[in-house]
Amino acid sequence: MTFQELILQGIPSELPPQYNYPQDANRAPKRKDILNKEEKQLAIRNALRYFPKQWHEILAPEFAQELNDFGRIYMYRFKPTYKMYARGIEEYPARTVHAAAIMLMIQNNLDPAVAQHPEELITYGGNGAVFQNWAQYLLTMQYLATMTDEQTLHMYSGHPMGLFPSSKNAPRVIVTNGMMIPNYSKPDDWEKFNALGVTQYGQMTAGSFMYIGPQGIVHGTTITVMNAFRKKLPKGETPEGKIFLTAGLGGMSGAQPKAGNIAGCITIAAEVNKKAAKKRHEQGWVDVLVDNLNDLVLRVKTAQENKEVVSIAYIGNVVDIWERFYEEDIFIHVGSDQTSLHIPWTGGYYPVGISYEESNRLIREEPEIFKEKVQESLRRHAEAINKHAERGTYFFDYGNAFLLEASRAGADVMADNNIDFKYPSYVQDILGPMCFDYGFGPFRWVCTSGKPEDLDKTDEIAMTVLQEIMKHSPEEIQLQMQDNITWIKDAKKNKMVVGSQARILYADAEGRAKIAEAFNNAVAAGQIGPVVLGRDHHDVSGTDSPYRETSNIYDGSKFTADMAIHNVIGDSFRGATWVSIHNGGGVGWGEVMNGGFGMVLDGTPEAEAKLKNMLFFDVNNGIARRSWARNDEALFAIKREMERTPNLSVTMPNLVEDDLLENLF
Ligand SMILES: NC(=O)c1ccc[n+]([C@@H]2O[C@H](COP(=O)([O-])OP(=O)(O)OC[C@H]3O[C@@H](n4cnc5c(N)ncnc54)[C@H](O)[C@@H]3O)[C@@H](O)[C@H]2O)c1
């Protein structure tokens, strides 16, 4: 059968042979064995409802085995035999170009070159699922291949509930992932209901088919590091010859040295896992490997003298560097940490003074002692950072729960009021006020032709549009504009494309809409094939997450999720091709609501009207909320927008004098 025929048949009419997964596959970790006997039976009953009765006798024990072995039922037998990758859009069987584009994005998110655990349909983050099982994949692709542009596919956590009549202007797909009744949103609820096959963890972009590989994290980290130096350095001074010290060369943290190089500083990233450090070195993501402190000190001093732009991986514990650099009087301009402190007891953070191997033994055999060692290490870690901060180091928390866990360990990281931390999070100090509050966020696109030439053309178009806008931009946003022009100029050189021909940059509402309009014109003129627009959910309006994206909201509303919900509903009737809303992004199940969209630019006037209407709301919804929370930058941005757009009328806050409140209670 051809690829097209295989897609169109959905669940095959004959039972496929048992599947032998490749030996070298990077398999998802075995999940918790959380179901009791009755619940396990229910999980099997749930799984079998995808298949005809005559297969049940064969499949029931097979699925029970999967549940026992892996804690989940992935239905490996139904994994398609064709190669999984984003094909050119014309290769997909479809009655509408919009559905074909969605199929392309789904396959990209399951491509083994892109996805972390492709056999288990996990794209990234260890748990970021596109589907729960292969039956859902097969059915969804079949629905997309047959749907018209007067139907909408409704997807419940990977399960395609079905095609419903709608209209041309409606989204083609509505995705929800992990939507729970709030009382059932604890981490173990995910384990249980995911094992039952009724919900999934969509992470941020995986469950909305919008992950594009490591480019997104490199760009986001670059913007953060550049702006951190700006906070620290006097105006006009560059990061040249200045030090950025951090830890972690893992999945996401591995982007730090590459970002540091683009920002133009000396990056030192400690990594206790030799293999992880070597992998990043071999991939060219970090320039130099050093495995002892004496060599590190010498290498750093040379780099400072020569004002080198260089990234150095130190194989060892980051606490040792903080302490040694203090003794050596090496000044650290910017410091952070990206160890996995959201999972401190299972290998997310390795304690100082104990070898990597010994730590792993303690985790398995003496977890209580390991916990004590982690907490001891965090206290030492914080003490060393505090000493550097007294000398003037700018330290920020990188959304990895460093300050939270350090505080729980009794480290000296609390501010005088004993409520806040001594140090800001990267969103409180950097991304919030410098980007999100002005509407700058991670706008991305995919060229559906799959041709690198198309990506080159879109890079050029985006750069020209940004340069044009920058000529008239107010001073407040000039730096953001310039950073992104520089990024897009060098984007090809940084060789970040994995899987589909995709690009990311940060732009505000005006930038996003103007770039999109220019793309749509280029599609109409036949210069490029259709383009899919989207974004990371880690953005101005898409995500309510009190310790990350909305951590710089200070009116008490950061624990609400109205913004994300309004965003997804608002986008859906303003022209999105698909929308998605998820419980649980990078910070955990029950800790965040995040929404996203996909929009296909097919060169039509309808696409132009939709992009203008939807992108405007997609950004300004969040700016309005941020301005209502009294954030200065958002107040500036929304006032400016109201002057330009007579149809926009946002409720503005009246500011209260501090004195007035002082003696009230
Ligand atoms: N704010 C953001 O935008 C953002 C982005 C990505 C990741 N994060 C957070 O950053 C953390 C890291 O993510 P990841 O995907 O890289 O995780 P990861 O587990 O793949 O990598 C963390 C690395 O830190 C190393 N490490 C642990 N303790 C160490 C120590 N004391 N000294 C030196 N190295 C040590 C580990 O060996 C590991 O390789 C997570 O908590 C994640 O949620 C935040």
Side-chain angles (χ1 to χ4, degrees):
M1 279 171 107
T2 63
F3 167 69
Q4 300 214 345
E5 287 163 348
L6 286 167
I7 294 278
L8 282 163
Q9 78 166 344
I11 305 265
S13 49
E14 278 178 35
L15 187 64
Q18 248 187 322
Y19 179 66
N20 294 319
Y21 29 77
Q23 286 307 309
D24 57 350
N26 181 0
R27 307 290 302 282
K30 184 180 174 190
R31 309 294 185 193
K32 236 182 193 174
D33 183 12
I34 200 165
L35 303 183
N36 63 28
K37 186 178 158 207
E38 286 71 31
E39 288 164 343
K40 282 184 178 164
Q41 286 169 340
L42 180 58
I44 304 295
R45 192 187 294 280
N46 287 347
L48 290 176
R49 64 186 150 173
Y50 286 103
F51 306 102
K53 216 174 174 122
Q54 67 268 27
W55 296 353
H56 287 186
E57 221 166 298
I58 299 173
L59 293 179
E62 186 172 312
F63 290 169
Q65 188 72 42
E66 286 189 22
L67 193 56
N68 282 335
D69 290 351
F70 309 111
R72 299 290 185 271
I73 302 168
Y74 298 110
M75 309 181 181
Y76 291 111
R77 184 193 281 264
F78 293 91
K79 184 175 180 227
T81 47
Y82 51 74
K83 228 177 141 212
M84 191 65 75
Y85 69 100
R87 291 156 172 78
I89 193 162
E90 70 291 340
E91 290 185 46
Y92 290 92
R95 295 164 75 183
T96 133
V97 65
H98 300 103
I102 299 171
M103 295 163 91
L104 178 160
M105 296 298 286
I106 288 175
Q107 291 206 315
N108 191 49
N109 277 254
L110 294 173
D111 178 346
V114 176
Q116 187 182 18
H117 306 303
E119 302 292 316
E120 289 81 21
L121 305 109
I122 301 285
T123 302
Y124 73 98
N127 53 9
V130 188
F131 298 97
Q132 298 178 63
N133 57 55
W134 287 103
Q136 294 179 342
Y137 166 84
L138 293 176
L139 281 175
T140 300
M141 294 298 273
Q142 184 187 35
Y143 277 130
L144 289 167
T146 52
M147 78 187 299
T148 70
D149 60 8
E150 300 211 324
Q151 287 175 305
T152 294
L153 176 64
H154 286 260
M155 297 187 61
Y156 288 33
S157 281
H159 171 70
M161 195 55 79
L163 291 176
F164 290 75
S166 60
S167 72
K168 234 179 162 168
N169 282 329
R172 297 281 67 83
V173 179
I174 305 279
V175 175
T176 58
N177 280 307
M179 288 294 115
M180 302 300 290
I181 300 300
N183 257 345
Y184 299 85
S185 211
K186 300 273 182 301
D188 268 356
D189 292 320
W190 168 69
E191 296 278 2
K192 177 175 165 179
F193 294 104
N194 188 218
L196 283 176
V198 295
T199 193
Q200 73 175 4
Y201 199 112
Q203 271 281 358
M204 303 190 85
T205 46
S208 56
F209 329 135
M210 200 42 82
Y211 184 72
I212 56 164
Q215 188 178 171
I217 187 69
V218 172
H219 179 262
T221 313
T222 305
I223 293 290
T224 306
V225 176
M226 276 178 167
N227 284 310
F229 273 105
R230 282 190 190 124
K231 270 206 93 70
K232 167 72 203 150
L233 299 176
K235 216 172 170 188
E237 214 172 298
T238 70
E240 207 180 61
K242 319 236 162 38
I243 293 178
F244 166 45
L245 171 60
T246 184
L249 287 172
M252 300 282 183
S253 47
Q256 295 177 107
K258 205 167 176 82
N261 280 5
I262 300 171
C265 60
I266 301 167
T267 306
I268 304 152
E271 172 55 66
V272 286
N273 179 348
K274 205 186 290 177
K275 276 193 191 156
K278 285 196 169 150
K279 183 174 157 196
R280 290 303 185 196
H281 186 239
E282 278 160 21
Q283 286 174 333
W285 284 48
V286 63
D287 303 322
V288 181
L289 273 184
V290 178
D291 64 4
N292 74 77
L293 279 174
N294 292 338
D295 288 356
L296 179 68
V297 168
L298 287 176
R299 186 64 188 85
V300 167
K301 286 186 173 165
T302 313
Q304 281 185 306
E305 273 159 30
N306 301 335
K307 295 202 162 173
E308 281 175 73
V309 173
V310 66
S311 51
I312 306 169
Y314 167 69
I315 302 175
N317 202 293
V318 71
V319 181
D320 288 323
I321 308 185
W322 282 103
E323 291 181 345
R324 179 69 184 268
F325 278 21
Y326 188 77
E327 284 166 25
E328 298 282 342
D329 210 7
I330 296 176
F331 183 65
I332 299 162
H333 286 79
V334 173
S336 194
D337 191 272
Q338 265 202 33
T339 56
S340 279
L341 273 159
H342 67 284
I343 41 165
W345 322 127
T346 50
Y349 179 90
Y350 283 81
V352 63
I354 305 176
S355 72
Y356 182 63
E357 292 71 23
E358 174 61 5
S359 284
N360 286 334
R361 188 193 68 75
L362 287 176
I363 293 170
R364 275 193 316 275
E365 295 171 17
E366 297 179 78
E368 280 311 309
I369 300 208
F370 183 73
K371 190 172 171 180
E372 277 168 30
K373 296 289 175 197
V374 166
Q375 295 202 319
E376 234 173 78
S377 180
L378 281 169
R379 290 193 290 271
R380 244 173 92 175
H381 197 155
E383 194 184 323
I385 291 169
N386 290 343
K387 285 185 183 167
H388 282 274
E390 275 165 26
R391 285 184 181 165
T393 296
Y394 172 66
F395 182 85
F396 66 94
D397 184 285
Y398 212 154
N400 64 336
F402 174 78
L403 292 173
L404 183 69
E405 282 308 328
S407 70
R408 287 175 177 162
D412 177 15
V413 291
M414 299 310 291
D416 291 341
N417 66 8
N418 229 0
I419 299 169
D420 301 317
F421 295 125
K422 254 186 201 191
Y423 303 103
S425 86
Y426 75 115
V427 173
Q428 282 178 304
D429 242 21
I430 303 170
L431 279 191
M434 293 164 117
C435 295
F436 294 163
D437 288 352
Y438 288 117
F440 282 84
F443 176 71
R444 57 181 59 175
W445 65 90
V446 170
C447 296
T448 64
S449 66
K451 294 180 187 158
E453 314 81 275
D454 276 19
L455 187 60
D456 293 347
K457 278 186 204 138
T458 54
D459 282 350
E460 229 177 272
I461 293 171
M463 189 173 76
T464 313
V465 170
L466 290 183
Q467 282 169 333
E468 201 47 46
I469 298 176
M470 193 175 161
K471 287 184 195 159
H472 315 286
S473 293
E475 206 196 324
E476 285 83 347
I477 61 168
Q478 286 273 333
L479 279 176
Q480 299 308 333
M481 296 297 299
Q482 187 52 56
D483 286 349
N484 283 285
I485 290 168
T486 310
W487 163 266
I488 198 79
K489 240 185 219 164
D490 291 342
K492 191 174 178 177
K493 200 173 79 190
N494 288 328
K495 292 200 186 118
M496 297 267 60
V497 171
V498 179
S500 62
Q501 295 295 318
R503 186 67 74 218
I504 183 163
L505 54 75
Y506 266 41
D508 63 0
E510 181 184 9
R512 299 185 208 203
K514 286 192 169 155
I515 292 171
E517 186 183 358
F519 287 171
N520 197 48
N521 291 341
V523 177
Q527 292 159 0
I528 51 175
V531 172
V532 170
L533 296 185
R535 57 168 172 71
D536 192 338
H537 297 199
H538 181 269
D539 196 5
V540 182
S541 320
T543 294
D544 276 300
S545 181
Y547 297 106
R548 242 169 66 171
E549 287 79 352
T550 40
S551 59
N552 72 324
I553 301 279
Y554 302 103
D555 68 351
S557 73
K558 68 178 171 183
F559 296 100
T560 64
D562 295 308
M563 179 179 73
I565 300 296
H566 274 274
N567 220 64
V568 77
I569 296 174
D571 281 2
S572 75
F573 63 79
R574 286 184 172 86
T577 309
W578 72 101
V579 287
S580 60
I581 183 88
H582 305 180
N583 168 17
V587 289
W589 182 255
E591 303 285 356
V592 46
M593 285 293 160
N594 59 78
F597 73 87
M599 175 178 260
V600 179
L601 302 178
D602 56 8
T604 58
E606 291 80 19
E608 183 175 324
K610 286 176 177 178
L611 75 87
K612 286 183 177 160
N613 195 3
M614 197 211 76
L615 290 174
F616 181 89
F617 174 76
D618 187 62
V619 180
N620 280 300
N621 170 41
I623 303 180
R625 185 269 177 105
R626 288 163 186 275
S627 84
W628 182 239
R630 298 178 284 260
N631 290 10
D632 288 339
E633 294 78 6
L635 284 164
F636 166 86
I638 208 72
K639 279 183 200 153
R640 181 168 174 248
E641 196 58 79
M642 281 196 277
E643 278 161 24
R644 291 191 292 203
T645 312
N647 248 352
L648 175 71
S649 181
V650 169
T651 313
M652 300 299 284
N654 292 296
L655 304 182
V656 179
E657 293 300 330
D658 287 350
D659 300 353
L660 194 67
L661 304 174
E662 235 141 61
N663 299 320
L664 283 181
F665 303 103

